[in-house]
Coordinates of all heavy atoms in Angstrom, one line a residue:
Chain A
E181 N 204.3 256.6 -42.6 CA 205.3 256.7 -41.5 C 206.3 255.5 -41.5 O 207.1 255.4 -40.6 CB 204.7 256.9 -40.1 CG 203.8 258.1 -40.0 CD 203.1 258.2 -38.7 OE1 203.8 258.4 -37.7 OE2 201.9 258.1 -38.6
T182 N 206.2 254.7 -42.5 CA 207.1 253.5 -42.6 C 208.0 253.6 -43.8 O 207.5 253.9 -44.9 CB 206.2 252.2 -42.6 OG1 205.4 252.1 -41.5 CG2 207.1 251.0 -42.7
Q183 N 209.2 253.2 -43.6 CA 210.1 253.2 -44.7 C 209.9 251.9 -45.6 O 210.0 250.8 -45.1 CB 211.6 253.2 -44.3 CG 212.6 253.4 -45.4 CD 214.0 253.4 -44.9 OE1 214.7 252.4 -44.7 NE2 214.6 254.6 -44.7
R184 N 209.5 252.1 -46.8 CA 209.2 250.9 -47.7 C 210.4 250.5 -48.5 O 210.5 249.3 -48.8 CB 208.1 251.3 -48.6 CG 206.7 251.6 -48.0 CD 205.7 251.8 -49.0 NE 205.2 250.5 -49.6 CZ 205.4 250.1 -50.8 NH1 206.0 250.8 -51.7 NH2 204.9 249.0 -51.2
N185 N 211.2 251.4 -48.8 CA 212.4 251.1 -49.7 C 213.5 252.0 -49.3 O 213.4 253.1 -48.8 CB 212.1 251.4 -51.2 CG 211.4 250.2 -51.8 OD1 212.0 249.1 -51.9 ND2 210.2 250.4 -52.4
K186 N 214.7 251.5 -49.5 CA 215.9 252.3 -49.2 C 216.9 252.0 -50.3 O 217.1 250.9 -50.8 CB 216.5 251.9 -47.9 CG 217.7 252.8 -47.4 CD 218.2 252.4 -46.0 CE 219.1 253.5 -45.4 NZ 220.2 253.9 -46.3
G187 N 217.5 253.1 -50.8 CA 218.5 253.0 -51.9 C 219.9 252.6 -51.3 O 220.0 252.4 -50.1
N188 N 220.9 252.6 -52.2 CA 222.2 252.2 -51.8 C 223.0 253.3 -51.3 O 224.0 253.8 -52.0 CB 222.9 251.5 -53.0 CG 224.2 250.8 -52.6 OD1 224.3 250.4 -51.4 ND2 225.0 250.6 -53.6
F189 N 222.7 253.9 -50.2 CA 223.4 255.0 -49.6 C 223.9 254.6 -48.2 O 223.3 253.8 -47.5 CB 222.5 256.2 -49.5 CG 222.4 257.0 -50.8 CD1 221.6 256.6 -51.8 CD2 223.2 258.1 -51.0 CE1 221.5 257.3 -53.0 CE2 223.1 258.8 -52.2 CZ 222.3 258.4 -53.2
P190 N 225.0 255.2 -47.7 CA 225.5 254.9 -46.4 C 224.5 255.3 -45.3 O 223.6 256.1 -45.5 CB 226.8 255.7 -46.3 CG 226.7 256.7 -47.3 CD 225.8 256.2 -48.4
G191 N 224.7 254.8 -44.1 CA 223.9 255.0 -43.0 C 223.8 256.5 -42.5 O 222.9 256.8 -41.8
R192 N 224.7 257.3 -43.1 CA 224.7 258.7 -42.7 C 223.4 259.4 -43.3 O 223.0 260.5 -42.8 CB 225.9 259.4 -43.4 CG 227.3 258.9 -42.9 CD 228.4 259.8 -43.5 NE 228.5 259.7 -45.0 CZ 228.1 260.7 -45.8 NH1 227.6 261.9 -45.3 NH2 228.2 260.6 -47.1
F193 N 222.8 258.8 -44.2 CA 221.6 259.3 -44.8 C 220.4 258.6 -44.1 O 220.3 257.3 -44.1 CB 221.5 259.0 -46.3 CG 222.5 259.8 -47.1 CD1 223.8 259.4 -47.2 CD2 222.1 260.9 -47.8 CE1 224.8 260.1 -47.9 CE2 223.0 261.7 -48.5 CZ 224.4 261.3 -48.6
S194 N 219.5 259.3 -43.5 CA 218.4 258.8 -42.9 C 217.2 259.7 -43.1 O 217.3 260.8 -43.6 CB 218.6 258.6 -41.4 OG 218.8 259.9 -40.8
G195 N 216.0 259.1 -42.8 CA 214.8 259.9 -43.1 C 213.7 259.4 -42.1 O 213.9 258.5 -41.4
R196 N 212.6 260.2 -42.2 CA 211.4 259.8 -41.4 C 210.2 260.5 -42.0 O 210.3 261.5 -42.8 CB 211.6 260.1 -39.9 CG 211.8 261.6 -39.6 CD 211.9 261.8 -38.1 NE 212.2 263.2 -37.8 CZ 212.1 263.7 -36.6 NH1 211.7 262.9 -35.6 NH2 212.4 264.9 -36.3
Q197 N 209.1 260.0 -41.6 CA 207.8 260.6 -42.1 C 206.9 260.7 -40.9 O 206.8 259.8 -40.0 CB 207.1 259.7 -43.2 CG 205.9 260.4 -43.8 CD 205.3 259.5 -44.9 OE1 205.3 258.3 -44.8 NE2 204.7 260.2 -45.9
F198 N 206.2 261.8 -40.9 CA 205.3 262.1 -39.8 C 203.9 261.7 -40.1 O 203.6 261.4 -41.2 CB 205.4 263.6 -39.4 CG 206.8 264.1 -39.1 CD1 207.7 264.6 -40.0 CD2 207.3 263.9 -37.8 CE1 209.0 265.0 -39.7 CE2 208.6 264.3 -37.5 CZ 209.5 264.8 -38.4
S199 N 203.1 261.8 -39.1 CA 201.7 261.4 -39.3 C 200.9 262.2 -40.3 O 199.9 261.8 -40.9 CB 200.9 261.4 -37.9 OG 201.0 262.7 -37.3
N200 N 201.4 263.5 -40.5 CA 200.7 264.3 -41.5 C 201.3 264.1 -42.9 O 201.1 264.9 -43.8 CB 200.8 265.8 -41.1 CG 202.2 266.3 -41.0 OD1 203.2 265.5 -41.2 ND2 202.4 267.6 -40.6
S201 N 202.2 263.1 -43.0 CA 202.9 262.7 -44.3 C 204.1 263.6 -44.6 O 204.8 263.3 -45.5 CB 201.9 262.7 -45.5 OG 200.9 261.7 -45.3
R202 N 204.3 264.7 -43.9 CA 205.5 265.4 -44.1 C 206.7 264.6 -43.8 O 206.7 263.6 -43.0 CB 205.5 266.7 -43.2 CG 206.7 267.7 -43.5 CD 206.5 268.9 -42.6 NE 206.9 268.6 -41.2 CZ 208.1 268.6 -40.7 NH1 209.1 268.9 -41.5 NH2 208.3 268.3 -39.4
S203 N 207.8 264.8 -44.5 CA 209.0 264.0 -44.4 C 210.2 264.8 -44.2 O 210.3 266.0 -44.7 CB 209.1 263.1 -45.6 OG 210.3 262.3 -45.5
E204 N 211.2 264.3 -43.5 CA 212.5 264.9 -43.4 C 213.5 263.9 -43.7 O 213.4 262.7 -43.5 CB 212.7 265.4 -41.9 CG 211.9 266.5 -41.5 CD 212.2 267.0 -40.0 OE1 212.8 266.2 -39.3 OE2 211.7 268.1 -39.7
M205 N 214.6 264.4 -44.3 CA 215.8 263.6 -44.4 C 217.0 264.2 -43.7 O 217.1 265.5 -43.7 CB 216.1 263.2 -45.9 CG 216.6 264.4 -46.7 SD 217.4 263.8 -48.2 CE 219.0 263.4 -47.6
N206 N 217.8 263.4 -43.2 CA 219.0 263.9 -42.4 C 220.3 263.3 -43.0 O 220.3 262.1 -43.3 CB 218.8 263.5 -41.0 CG 219.9 264.1 -40.1 OD1 221.0 263.5 -40.0 ND2 219.7 265.2 -39.5
V207 N 221.3 264.1 -43.1 CA 222.6 263.6 -43.5 C 223.6 264.1 -42.4 O 223.7 265.3 -42.1 CB 223.0 264.2 -44.9 CG1 224.3 263.5 -45.3 CG2 222.0 264.0 -45.9
S208 N 224.2 263.1 -41.8 CA 225.2 263.4 -40.8 C 226.6 263.4 -41.4 O 226.8 262.8 -42.4 CB 225.0 262.4 -39.6 OG 225.3 261.1 -40.1
T209 N 227.5 264.0 -40.6 CA 228.9 263.9 -41.0 C 229.1 264.2 -42.5 O 229.6 263.4 -43.3 CB 229.6 262.6 -40.6 OG1 229.1 262.2 -39.4 CG2 231.1 262.8 -40.6
L210 N 228.7 265.4 -42.9 CA 228.7 265.7 -44.3 C 230.1 265.6 -45.0 O 231.1 265.9 -44.4 CB 228.2 267.1 -44.5 CG 226.7 267.3 -44.4 CD1 226.3 268.8 -44.2 CD2 225.9 266.7 -45.6
E211 N 230.0 265.1 -46.2 CA 231.2 265.0 -47.1 C 231.0 265.9 -48.3 O 229.9 266.2 -48.7 CB 231.4 263.5 -47.5 CG 231.6 262.6 -46.3 CD 231.7 261.1 -46.7 OE1 231.7 260.9 -48.0 OE2 231.9 260.3 -45.9

Side-chain angles (χ1 to χ4, degrees):
Chain A
E181 302 178 66
T182 301
Q183 187 180 87
R184 295 185 79 247
N185 273 302
K186 190 176 191 307
N188 190 25
F189 278 81
R192 300 185 296 107
F193 291 81
S194 62
R196 59 179 176 168
Q197 187 179 35
F198 302 95
S199 59
N200 63 357
S201 295
R202 190 177 71 85
S203 177
E204 289 181 348
M205 67 163 281
N206 184 277
V207 188
S208 62
T209 318
L210 284 166
E211 300 177 0

